[in-house]
Amino acid sequence: MAIDKKQVEDIVRAVGGKENIEAATHCVTRLRFALYDESKVDSKSLDQNDLVKGQFSSQGQFQVVIGPGLVDKVYDEMIEITGGERASKDDVKAVAGKKQNPIQRAIKTLSDIFIPILPAIITAGLLLGINNILTGPGIFFDGKSLVDVYPAWKDLASIINTIASTAFTFLPALIGWAAVTRFGGSPLLGIVLGLILVHPDLLSAYGYANAVNEGTVPTWNLFGWHIEKIGYQGQVLPVLVSAYLLAKLEIFLNKRVHDSIKLLVVAPVTLLITGFLAFTIIGPVTFAIANGITSGLIYIYDSYAALGGLIYGGLYALLVITGMHHTFLAVDVQLIGSQGGTFLWPMLALSNIAQGSAALAMMLVLREKKMRGLAATSSVSAFLGVTEPAIFGVNIRYRYPFIFGMVGSAIGGVLLTLNNVQATSIGVGGVPGFLSIFPNKWGVFFIGMAIVLIVPFVLTVIFGKAKLRKEDRNADRTVVTGGHTAVNESDATTTAAATETDQNQRSRSAAQVGNDPVNTLEVLAPLTGTAVPLEQVPDPAFAEKQMGEGVAIEPSGNQVVAPFDAQVAHVIKSKHAVILEHASGLQILIHVGINTVSLKGEGFNMHVEAGDKVRAGQTLLEFDRKVIEAAGYPLITPIIIPDGQDMVERVEVTTGDVTSNRNGVLKVHLKG
């Protein structure tokens, strides 16, 4: 199809002109822009452009939906018009990341710092949990601990405690390493900086409160300037700010000091200046800020315990989706360091279990075997503290289990806060989370665990079964006409009892070979799985039908086959999508997964090339489900009849369980 240059110029003008385009790329369906200022976008002008099927902004990228088979030509023309450089999707993603607001950037920075040290913190938490079992009074014996009754275990418990507490004692060194690395400095200097802040010559931060009360806080006297000689064990802010200063100062000196004397100048000067400022200004100021934040949280917890539990317990799963949950690691560490325990971590553990329970309930709701398997495995993962597979793989996809998981977690959160349940450390979330809880609160925690196991599970099963019964009462076939959807209950469909011979004949007649005209083209399912309306696709370009009518399939297998005899019109470079053309001239797009273009072909094996002629049922491509799921991308596969094909009169959509090359999912009525 020829491209109208003026329409492309109008797109460039509508996004603010070439001066407003920092970087641009495209995928199989849309142009992706990183713009300097999205407020300059003329949405009305884009809506009036015949090339544009839709527009939206997501994660710092402004996306203009053009459609398959056309977007690459529009992109080429746009590059020629603007004189800009071609960019990869990673380039645009990186530039778009810079457009995030300060809060988003801060959250990402904290995530980048704390995620690398999380294994050490979790390991320490688990070992401290074992120590709690050995030394906690009242667990096995009334008013006494295990080591009190069996003194021979006392030294073993002491060794375990020493090993476990090391990560928390030298936490500033871990944070210093991760933070300086994140800010572009030398990791070794970051470790040394962290160790400086917890040097044995300093008063431990854990003993600071008692020293203040007793008036015994040691000080340095710098020519009349008295500075408290304290360490920053268990503190987060002092080392974070100091690490930022150290990294920037090191980078500054590295650019200006000659190579011959760098070893003698850069590291010593950097550490000396940063260390001095850490003890004189950064430490005292951030220590006061951290204590203020902690005091505020404690006040809310003490004054409005139920409300705090309801909000944090209920909404924690939402924080996981946004990535904001990583910021609370710093809060937990701060609370443990200054108060000896955190009331946030127990609610996190219950939230993990709640989402796992909701995912497990979907095993009784879902009909498709592969999805039931995913529900089972992801629920086990959530019970062990890793909720992403359950949340993104199952619960968010169907929405209601995610909501019911939050309901159960909110109830559990209220119970925990009303009973002052706290954790001594950060350990593994989920069911093993009880090891981190103060032993005298295990009973309450186990009641909360029962709540988050039962409530989400029961609500999900009841609602899910009712939803299935309602769907079963509806017609399997939906007729889409003029943009409106109507249920056609009298429309007969092929039943599972049809013979294979009849199905093969139907497949043959529905996809006539040669150039004989057809009035109706039946598109067979290119994948085995469950066909669902486009509205269920988690991408606005597909869900809002910006590119055209169609259907989506939740695949249970890993093969895509030709839904009719056709010619391969276009194969997407990243191998996740293909466009077929029927003898009538009708084109169809099969797009495996959402945002799978980012995989750059990894996990996909294309069996055809552009120009190949294929028969109905012939394998077009195969994909590795594990690779796609591990990357966090939905497998749901849209099958689209792109807009702009004049021969299309209307499209009928069939949903339900389908087998590739056996069940029809689309019936395209052609004009004439």
Side-chain angles (χ1 to χ4, degrees):
M1 182 186 298
I3 299 298
D4 187 338
K5 183 176 181 178
K6 183 180 181 305
Q7 290 179 319
V8 181
E9 291 173 343
D10 289 342
I11 292 176
V12 174
R13 193 178 301 112
V15 297
K18 63 181 182 181
E19 299 81 7
N20 196 38
I21 301 174
E22 189 170 1
T25 187
H26 74 92
C27 59
V28 64
T29 59
R30 66 202 78 172
L31 299 172
R32 296 172 179 257
F33 294 97
L35 302 176
Y36 287 105
D37 186 358
E38 282 195 15
S39 66
K40 294 182 179 180
V41 174
D42 186 349
S43 297
K44 185 176 180 181
S45 176
L46 286 173
D47 288 337
Q48 294 173 347
N49 194 311
D50 291 338
L51 283 176
V52 177
K53 303 297 188 297
Q55 56 182 293
F56 59 94
S57 180
S58 176
Q59 297 181 336
Q61 296 183 36
F62 187 77
Q63 304 183 30
V64 178
V65 181
I66 303 297
L70 196 61
V71 65
D72 50 343
K73 298 176 183 177
V74 173
Y75 180 75
D76 291 341
E77 188 67 42
M78 184 187 71
I79 292 297
E80 185 176 334
I81 291 171
T82 61
E85 296 183 0
R86 294 178 178 272
S88 69
K89 297 172 186 67
D90 286 341
D91 293 335
V92 173
K93 186 177 181 180
V95 173
K98 299 177 182 178
K99 306 299 180 185
Q100 294 178 318
N101 61 49
I103 294 178
Q104 291 172 320
R105 289 199 298 272
I107 290 171
K108 185 178 185 304
T109 299
L110 282 175
S111 298
D112 293 341
I113 292 171
F114 276 92
I115 288 177
I117 66 175
L118 198 55
I121 296 175
I122 289 177
T123 300
L126 280 174
L127 293 176
L128 283 174
I130 296 173
N131 181 69
N132 287 342
I133 295 175
L134 295 174
T135 61
I139 299 177
F140 302 104
F141 305 99
D142 188 21
K144 293 184 178 181
S145 68
L146 189 66
V147 296
D148 289 335
V149 177
Y150 300 103
W153 289 82
K154 188 173 183 179
D155 287 340
L156 175 62
S158 177
I159 293 174
I160 293 174
N161 183 63
T162 299
I163 296 171
S165 61
T166 297
F168 289 103
T169 302
F170 297 101
L171 183 65
L174 297 178
I175 296 176
W177 164 75
V180 171
T181 302
R182 170 62 179 80
F183 297 133
S186 169
L188 181 60
L189 292 183
I191 294 173
V192 175
L193 172 65
L195 292 174
I196 288 172
L197 296 179
V198 293
H199 195 283
D201 285 350
L202 305 171
L203 171 67
S204 172
Y206 299 128
Y208 178 73
N210 289 334
V212 170
N213 293 331
E214 297 170 1
T216 58
V217 177
T219 61
W220 283 299
N221 185 351
L222 299 179
F223 309 103
W225 183 14
H226 293 274
I227 302 168
E228 292 183 331
K229 189 179 177 182
I230 61 173
Y232 295 97
Q233 290 86 352
Q235 299 294 308
V236 175
L237 282 180
V239 68
L240 279 179
V241 176
S242 300
Y244 178 82
L245 174 63
L246 182 144
K248 298 306 176 185
L249 183 57
E250 182 190 8
I251 293 170
F252 175 84
L253 292 175
N254 268 323
K255 291 180 179 178
R256 289 162 177 80
V257 175
H258 194 274
D259 289 346
S260 61
I261 59 173
K262 274 187 178 180
L263 187 62
L264 298 176
V265 174
V266 176
V269 172
T270 298
L271 272 178
L272 182 61
I273 294 176
T274 305
F276 183 82
L277 291 175
F279 286 123
T280 58
I281 299 175
I282 297 173
V285 171
T286 55
F287 188 62
I289 293 173
N291 285 336
I293 294 172
T294 302
S295 298
L297 287 171
I298 295 297
Y299 172 77
I300 294 173
Y301 177 67
D302 289 340
S303 304
Y304 310 100
L307 181 61
L310 183 71
I311 294 175
Y312 187 78
L315 298 184
Y316 180 78
L318 280 178
L319 297 178
V320 174
I321 294 176
T322 62
M324 290 181 63
H325 63 302
H326 295 300
T327 63
F328 284 89
L329 286 172
V331 180
D332 278 311
V333 170
Q334 180 67 35
L335 287 170
I336 293 170
S338 58
Q339 300 295 318
T342 172
F343 49 84
L344 297 176
W345 186 263
M347 288 185 278
L348 174 152
L350 290 194
S351 178
N352 295 158
I353 299 171
Q355 291 298 323
S357 176
L360 183 64
M362 292 301 288
M363 280 189 62
L364 303 181
V365 175
L366 296 170
R367 292 170 173 171
E368 200 274 304
K369 184 177 179 181
K370 291 289 184 180
M371 281 304 299
R372 289 200 301 269
L374 176 60
T377 55
S378 64
S379 66
V380 173
S381 174
F383 291 149
L384 295 177
V386 181
T387 56
E388 281 79 359
I391 289 177
F392 294 105
V394 180
N395 295 352
I396 281 294
R397 182 178 298 187
Y398 297 97
R399 296 184 182 88
Y400 62 89
F402 180 73
I403 294 171
F404 292 142
M406 290 196 298
V407 170
S409 180
I411 298 172
V414 171
L415 175 71
L416 296 189
T417 52
L418 287 177
N419 288 276
N420 193 29
V421 176
Q422 296 192 33
T424 60
S425 61
I426 298 174
V428 176
V431 175
F434 79 92
L435 292 172
S436 299
I437 307 300
F438 282 97
N440 64 328
K441 295 295 182 180
W442 278 7
V444 178
F445 186 78
F446 287 142
I447 293 173
M449 192 182 295
I451 290 173
V452 296
L453 279 169
I454 296 171
V455 172
F457 187 89
V458 172
L459 292 178
T460 299
V461 170
I462 292 174
F463 183 87
K465 292 290 187 182
K467 190 171 183 290
L468 284 180
R469 287 194 294 270
K470 182 178 179 181
E471 290 175 355
D472 288 341
R473 288 195 297 267
N474 292 334
D476 291 330
R477 193 175 297 274
T478 302
V479 181
V480 182
T481 309
H484 298 282
T485 303
V487 177
N488 183 356
E489 297 185 357
S490 63
D491 194 6
T493 58
T494 303
T495 66
T499 64
E500 185 172 347
T501 302
D502 291 339
Q503 288 166 338
N504 289 338
Q505 290 175 345
R506 180 169 61 84
S507 173
R508 184 67 136 181
S509 62
Q512 297 177 19
V513 184
N515 296 314
D516 297 334
V518 294
N519 293 323
T520 301
L521 173 64
E522 186 168 14
V523 179
L524 301 181
L527 305 96
T528 297
T530 303
V532 298
L534 278 181
E535 287 82 359
Q536 294 189 22
V537 178
D539 184 292
F542 293 113
E544 296 173 9
K545 303 181 181 179
Q546 295 176 0
M547 287 178 291
E549 294 289 354
V551 71
I553 294 178
E554 293 275 11
S556 58
N558 68 334
Q559 278 193 346
V560 177
V561 304
F564 47 67
D565 293 354
Q567 183 173 15
V568 179
H570 188 56
V571 171
I572 308 308
K573 185 178 180 180
S574 48
K575 304 177 184 178
H576 70 289
V578 62
I579 300 174
L580 302 178
E581 184 171 323
H582 184 257
S584 64
L586 179 79
Q587 289 192 340
I588 183 172
L589 163 70
I590 304 172
H591 189 291
V592 178
I594 302 302
N595 288 328
T596 43
V597 62
S598 301
L599 292 174
K600 301 178 181 178
E602 182 183 1
F604 292 93
N605 182 21
M606 186 66 68
H607 290 274
V608 295
E609 298 179 355
D612 288 354
K613 292 186 181 298
V614 295
R615 308 286 289 180
Q618 181 177 334
T619 300
L620 301 175
L621 68 93
E622 293 178 293
F623 53 92
D624 190 327
R625 299 173 61 92
K626 292 182 179 179
V627 170
I628 299 173
E629 290 170 348
Y633 299 122
L635 275 167
I636 190 169
T637 299
I639 297 98
I640 304 295
I641 307 297
D643 279 343
Q645 303 188 71
D646 295 336
M647 76 282 292
V648 179
E649 183 175 281
R650 73 178 190 276
V651 179
E652 297 178 10
V653 180
T654 300
T655 58
D657 292 342
V658 293
T659 302
S660 63
N661 199 40
R662 293 173 72 88
N663 304 105
V665 290
L666 295 174
K667 183 177 287 186
V668 185
H669 295 273
L670 306 177
K671 295 179 181 178

